[in-house]
Amino acid sequence: MTDPTSGIHKIEKRRKGMPIDRLAQAAENVGGVLRADLTPGDRVIVSTKNSVYSLTSCADGSFIVSGGWYELQGLGESRTEVRGCTAGGSALLTEHVAAPGLFLEFEDGLRTTRIRTVRHIPAVPDHT
């Protein structure tokens, strides 16, 4: 099974660098989950090449993260920021929380292995 690729990866294979306007255009076609798609309590399940992460959206824009590296370190659930996604270079797509073919980057600089799948699970409204 091959890893999914984003439109950004297809463009990068043709040349070493990419003008910022082309990167912005490619970012529009990447898909995945955008910050604007989330409300507090929504969960994003991210499956990477090596791990599975669960991210729960908080009202202040941060996330409660578990799984993957956090689980391996014995940290359990940790509150952190998501910087965005990268195609492997230094350009960061800050409006993307997770997208197949990219790498998720957290505020502490932790970068996941390549994302394989992303699932957005909306919060269940509290009707009490």
Side-chain angles (χ1 to χ4, degrees), residues 74-120:
L75 300 174
E77 291 186 339
S78 298
R79 189 179 200 117
T80 189
E81 300 283 334
V82 170
R83 285 187 180 165
C85 288
T86 178
S90 58
L92 193 62
L93 305 175
T94 58
E95 293 304 311
H96 285 78
V97 173
L102 300 181
F103 302 86
L104 173 59
E105 188 170 310
F106 295 98
E107 74 175 327
D108 59 4
L110 173 68
R111 187 181 290 177
T112 68
T113 52
R114 189 176 307 281
I115 297 170
R116 292 191 171 179
T117 62
V118 177
R119 183 169 178 212
H120 175 198

Side-chain angles (χ1 to χ4, degrees), residues 22-35:
R22 296 273 318 265
L23 178 62
Q25 182 181 17
E28 294 175 7
N29 299 316
V30 169
V33 176
L34 301 173
R35 290 179 197 279

